[in-house]
Amino acid sequence: MRFASLGSGSQGNSLVVEAGRTRLLLDCGFGLAAALNRLGRLGLVAEDLSAIVVTHEHDDHIGGVARLARRHRIPVWLTPGTLAGFEALFAGVEQISMVQNYGAFTVGDLHVQPYPVPHDAREPAQFVFGDGVRRLGVLTDVGCSTPHIESVLSGCDALVLECNHDAEMLRTSSYPQRLRERIGGRFGHLANDAAAALLGRLDNAKLKHLVAAHLSRENNRPDLARAALAAVMNCAPEWIAIADQDEGLAWRQIA
C-alpha cells in the first residue's frame, strides 16, 4: 500500500492511495490539464484511477472532480450533502455512489472508512483507507478535534494531518477579521498547535509516516508545522513530510 499527494493547499488538493490494482483519488481541486500533469509526475494516467472519493464541496477539493470523472469515465463517491446543489455540475458522470451515513465501503483492494468532521460544509467527510493490514488516515479541513476523530485515527500506519496555520501568524495577518475568525474557528482549519494536540491523543505506536498537509502560504511555514508535530512525536523535524501546494508529495510506501 502506498500514497502520494498531487498538491495540498488552498489552491487545490488531491491525494492518491494505491493497494494492489486499486488506485483511489481523494479529491481533485485542480483543473483537468493540471490534474493530468500532476498524475503524470507520479507515473499515472487518469485511466489508472479506480474511483474519485470526495471530502466536501469547497472548490479546492471538488473543483476538478466532475470534469476529470466525466472525461475519463471514473466513478465518484461522495456524501448526499456534498452532491446537493452540484447535480448539474455532475451531469454526464457515469457512476456516482453515495456515502450514506458515513458507512464504510470497498473499492477493489481498498477498504474505505468515512468519518464526520467539524467543517463549514454541508456534509463533510474525511477518510481512513486500508488494505486489510495497513491503514492510512487522512484529516484535513477540520476546525477542531472530536473523540470520534481520535478514535478513528488511532493505530494508523500513516497519517496525513492538516497543519493549516500558525495561530499567531493568522492573528496578525492581512486577512479580513471575518476570514481570520472563520479559519481559526471550530468549523474552520486546524492550527499547528491544535494539530499537535490532536496527534498527542492518538495511539501512534504503528505510525511510520506523518505528513503535514493543507499549509497556508500566508499564515504558516513548513518549519513551524514540523516543529509542532515533532515535539509530540519526539522525532527530528525532518522525519515529518510536507504535502506541498506546488510539488505535492512523492510516493510513500507503507510497509
Side-chain angles (χ1 to χ4, degrees):
M1 183 175 173
R2 63 177 186 164
F3 67 100
S5 171
L6 277 64
S8 183
S10 59
Q11 275 72 56
N13 296 271
S14 192
L15 184 83
V16 60
V17 186
E18 176 185 287
R21 297 182 179 180
T22 304
R23 296 183 186 92
L24 297 183
L25 194 67
L26 178 64
D27 291 335
C28 183
F30 303 103
L32 184 61
L36 295 177
N37 179 64
R38 288 168 184 260
L39 283 168
R41 294 192 313 211
L42 299 172
L44 300 176
V45 295
E47 288 72 20
D48 292 324
L49 300 175
S50 307
I52 304 173
V53 180
V54 182
T55 60
H56 64 295
E57 72 274 12
H58 291 165
D59 192 60
D60 58 325
H61 293 263
I62 204 175
V65 171
R67 190 174 180 190
L68 181 63
R70 187 164 46 242
R71 180 73 62 90
H72 296 279
R73 305 175 69 180
I74 305 170
V76 175
W77 288 79
L78 73 177
T79 66
T82 298
L83 180 62
F86 288 86
E87 291 87 353
L89 177 66
F90 280 86
V93 175
E94 291 189 7
Q95 183 177 338
I96 298 176
S97 298
M98 292 292 102
V99 178
Q100 297 283 3
N101 300 316
Y102 300 98
F105 58 95
T106 299
V107 180
D109 297 313
L110 278 167
H111 177 269
V112 185
Q113 177 61 67
Y115 63 97
V117 295
H119 191 54
D120 56 354
R122 293 187 185 94
E123 194 180 3
Q126 294 291 316
F127 298 89
V128 174
F129 302 91
D131 66 355
V133 178
R134 293 157 289 263
R135 297 170 68 238
L136 164 67
V138 181
L139 177 63
T140 67
D141 294 74
V142 57
C144 60
S145 185
T146 68
H148 183 61
I149 289 173
E150 293 162 15
S151 174
V152 169
L153 294 180
S154 281
C156 284
D157 300 273
L159 179 63
V160 177
L161 178 60
E162 176 172 65
C163 291
N164 177 257
H165 59 277
D166 172 81
E168 182 61 19
M169 288 181 70
L170 178 64
R171 188 186 70 81
T172 59
S173 78
S174 61
Y175 283 13
Q177 181 177 349
R178 186 171 180 179
L179 179 57
R180 294 199 305 269
E181 291 175 350
R182 173 193 169 267
I183 292 170
R186 288 180 54 81
F187 296 93
H189 293 270
L190 282 185
N192 294 336
D193 57 353
L198 186 162
L199 180 65
R201 292 190 290 269
L202 303 182
D203 173 3
N204 295 311
K206 297 171 60 180
L207 194 63
K208 302 177 183 69
H209 298 277
L210 177 58
V211 180
H214 217 307
L215 274 68
S216 169
R217 280 178 162 166
E218 301 293 328
N219 300 307
N220 208 356
R221 301 197 313 264
D223 63 298
L224 295 177
R226 280 190 166 111
L229 301 186
V232 174
M233 295 299 296
N234 193 27
C235 67
E238 294 75 21
W239 182 77
I240 296 162
I242 301 290
D244 183 72
Q245 179 69 88
D246 297 324
E247 300 301 322
L249 178 74
W251 287 109
R252 291 292 177 109
Q253 186 77 36
I254 309 175

